[in-house]
Amino acid sequence: MKAGTDLAQIGSLVGDPARANMLAALMGGTALTASELALEAGVALPTASAHLAKLSDGGLVSVARQGRHRYYALADHRVAAMLENIMGVAATLGPKRVLPGPRDKAMRDARVCYDHLAGEMGVAMLDSFVGRGLIRVDGERAEMSSAGASYFAGLGIDLDTMGRKRRPVCRTCLDWSVRRSHLAGGLGAAMLECILTRGWARREKDSRVIRFTPMGRREFEMMLRG
Amino acid sequence: MKAGTDLAQIGSLVGDPARANMLAALMGGTALTASELALEAGVALPTASAHLAKLSDGGLVSVARQGRHRYYALADHRVAAMLENIMGVAATLGPKRVLPGPRDKAMRDARVCYDHLAGEMGVAMLDSFVGRGLIRVDGERAEMSSAGASYFAGLGIDLDTMGRKRRPVCRTCLDWSVRRSHLAGGLGAAMLECILTRGWARREKDSRVIRFTPMGRREFEMMLRG
DNA sequence: TTCATACTTCGATCATAAGCAAACTATCTT
DNA sequence: AAGATAGTTTGCTTATGATCGAAGTATGAA
């Protein structure tokens, strides 16, 4: 009975189309203002405001006031993982999903999940790190080996400051399209940033898709081979 | 936008209190009739019937007609895993969770998740199997080593017929109370059955709690030590 | 100061869907 | 055959909550 109440509370938050669209938009990882989310959800500003208040009260999103703006973001990597999970179930359950279009294909290949790389390439990346002994995985938790520490430092990632933050360095997150884990946590975010700043790939506008350049893909694959 | 629609569809199914209670009850793993679920959810039979039709249409539960009864169950281990995941988020988000009562404590210790063992003891079991090289884990998937095959056969588990079923033998499932993985899949179900038939533990009535006898707990821990 | 922007709160409307009683169908019992 | 039990369907009531316009608050710009 108590368990059911908990379920229902979260479910009803996610269950409204406008709120679901907002959450889906926030899965892109960038914080968005109330107006942007209203547009995204296709509702008027007052309506969006009410929805965002509920999401915020419910703990699914966080707010950061900045001047006259209010930036909303997913509260937590766990919330992001939960949404990915639900999407995954929806994908397998969906009435009969028509053959995946090109947009879908790109999403499966590489996309942003909250703030790290997901999709086939994200899964391949974690696989490589694990295979080379740089990271050890244990359920949702994961940890870096000493070999990993020197390797990631060599990529120019600042592990010291990362280690001091509250956020765990290594996490895994279940990928809904591949149904396997990809790398999340501070390191996952840093790796995505690394990929983007090196120009291997760039984010597609208004979507979660990450497009690798042909060159970038080659570089990325070389990195995975070690 | 499309992603949002998917989310909303599942969310709204889970978001109704009556339906959420039904789903929570079904997390116990045993199939239940419409009347039982009506009672569980605290609604009249016609209401329950309507809810179950929605859950069934939505693909979250499956129905099996048996004479004049209709047995409802969760459609899938994935649905079960999704619900566990949502409960986990609810637990961390919950307004201010009062200190966990004894019932909660028992749930955290050992409970049924769909049809396998979850909670601290479930996680400990998988840990032990992995540590002893009986099972290798890779994200949600997992596989048995040859050492594992002979070990589990030695416990009296019929791996041959299990291998022939559609259901994967080894799976992992994220545990909401421990936030780590426990063993699911056909093997997970078989292990739970093994624990129950040996009298090491028994299911508590009308709940997901599994109570180990003092003796059973010793035996179980001995098994984990190998 | 005055205006504009970003957002919230209020108030009213409206639609959806949750709820149940009563009637109906199907299966089992005797 | 005549109950009895399990469940669905129908029809109706009711309540919740999603929606937006209008007015209010807070911040920034001129």
Side-chain angles (χ1 to χ4, degrees):
Chain A
M1 195 74 189
K2 170 57 164 46
T5 314
D6 281 359
L7 272 181
Q9 198 171 330
I10 303 244
S12 71
L13 283 175
V14 177
D16 177 83
R19 285 193 294 263
N21 281 321
M22 293 176 172
L23 291 170
L26 290 174
M27 282 291 287
T30 46
L32 297 171
T33 66
S35 329
E36 289 169 324
L37 287 167
L39 197 68
E40 196 73 43
V43 294
L45 201 64
T47 310
S49 186
H51 283 310
L52 287 167
K54 285 188 184 176
L55 287 173
S56 176
D57 287 350
L60 292 188
V61 306
S62 63
V63 208
R65 323 182 53 147
Q66 225 166 88
R68 50 184 165 178
H69 291 278
R70 257 155 216 224
Y71 284 97
Y72 290 88
L74 295 185
D76 206 333
H77 67 100
R78 285 179 185 174
V79 173
M82 178 189 78
L83 295 174
E84 276 267 320
N85 200 332
I86 297 177
M87 286 179 190
V89 172
T92 69
L93 253 47
K96 59 230 104 195
R97 64 193 295 79
V98 278
L99 40 157
R103 159 57 53 74
D104 260 20
K105 175 137 180 2
M107 281 278 279
R108 276 160 206 282
D109 189 49
R111 67 177 180 279
V112 175
C113 170
Y114 191 36
D115 62 358
H116 52 265
L117 179 65
E120 313 249 9
M121 304 197 61
V123 170
M125 187 172 77
L126 179 57
D127 274 358
S128 152
F129 291 163
V130 170
R132 286 150 69 196
L134 305 177
I135 287 179
R136 275 186 299 274
V137 173
D138 167 29
E140 192 194 35
R141 325 206 86 186
E143 55 178 15
M144 200 182 295
S145 67
S146 51
S150 56
Y151 176 79
F152 292 115
L155 288 179
I157 292 174
D158 181 2
L159 297 173
D160 281 350
T161 52
M162 192 188 296
R164 273 195 288 278
K165 303 211 167 153
R166 212 173 325 158
R167 179 175 195 193
V169 173
C170 288
R171 281 261 140 167
T172 68
C173 177
L174 190 56
D175 196 292
W176 67 258
S177 54
V178 185
R179 298 301 301 174
R180 293 190 37 221
S181 290
H182 57 245
L183 180 65
L187 183 61
M191 284 305 304
L192 174 59
E193 203 189 330
C194 176
I195 288 166
L196 294 176
T197 55
R198 291 185 181 201
W200 293 357
R202 58 181 198 293
R203 298 201 46 173
E204 197 167 87
K205 182 133 174 57
D206 291 333
S207 108
R208 295 170 61 192
V209 170
I210 293 190
R211 290 229 181 260
F212 276 75
T213 66
M215 242 267 288
R217 189 175 292 265
R218 270 201 306 278
E219 299 257 22
F220 180 79
E221 279 162 4
M222 248 174 57
M223 179 185 78
L224 295 198
R225 274 197 298 273
Chain B
M1 193 76 188
K2 170 60 162 47
T5 314
D6 280 0
L7 272 180
Q9 198 171 331
I10 304 246
S12 71
L13 283 176
V14 179
D16 176 84
R19 284 194 294 264
N21 281 322
M22 291 175 174
L23 290 171
L26 290 174
M27 282 291 286
T30 47
L32 297 171
T33 66
S35 329
E36 288 168 327
L37 287 166
L39 197 69
E40 199 73 42
V43 293
L45 201 66
T47 309
S49 187
H51 284 308
L52 288 167
K54 285 187 185 177
L55 287 174
S56 176
D57 287 351
L60 292 187
V61 307
S62 63
V63 207
R65 320 182 52 147
Q66 226 169 87
R68 54 185 164 176
H69 292 278
R70 259 156 213 221
Y71 283 97
Y72 291 88
L74 295 186
D76 207 331
H77 67 100
R78 286 180 183 173
V79 173
M82 178 188 79
L83 295 174
E84 275 267 320
N85 200 332
I86 297 177
M87 285 178 190
V89 172
T92 70
L93 254 48
K96 56 231 111 193
R97 63 192 296 79
V98 278
L99 40 157
R103 158 57 53 74
D104 259 19
K105 175 135 181 1
M107 281 278 278
R108 276 161 206 279
D109 188 50
R111 68 178 178 279
V112 174
C113 170
Y114 192 36
D115 62 358
H116 51 266
L117 180 66
E120 313 249 9
M121 304 197 61
V123 170
M125 188 172 74
L126 179 58
D127 274 358
S128 152
F129 291 163
V130 170
R132 286 150 70 195
L134 305 178
I135 288 179
R136 275 185 299 274
V137 173
D138 168 30
E140 194 195 32
R141 326 205 86 188
E143 55 179 15
M144 201 183 292
S145 68
S146 51
S150 56
Y151 176 78
F152 294 116
L155 289 179
I157 292 174
D158 181 1
L159 297 173
D160 282 349
T161 53
M162 192 189 296
R164 273 196 288 278
K165 302 212 167 151
R166 211 172 326 159
R167 178 175 195 194
V169 173
C170 288
R171 282 260 139 169
T172 68
C173 178
L174 190 57
D175 197 292
W176 68 258
S177 54
V178 184
R179 300 300 302 175
R180 295 195 29 225
S181 291
H182 57 245
L183 179 64
L187 183 60
M191 284 304 304
L192 175 58
E193 203 190 330
C194 176
I195 288 165
L196 295 175
T197 56
R198 289 186 182 200
W200 292 358
R202 58 180 199 294
R203 299 202 45 175
E204 198 168 86
K205 182 134 175 58
D206 292 332
S207 112
R208 296 170 61 192
V209 170
I210 294 190
R211 291 230 180 257
F212 276 75
T213 66
M215 243 268 287
R217 188 175 293 263
R218 272 201 304 278
E219 299 257 20
F220 179 78
E221 279 160 4
M222 247 174 59
M223 180 185 78
L224 296 196
R225 276 196 297 273

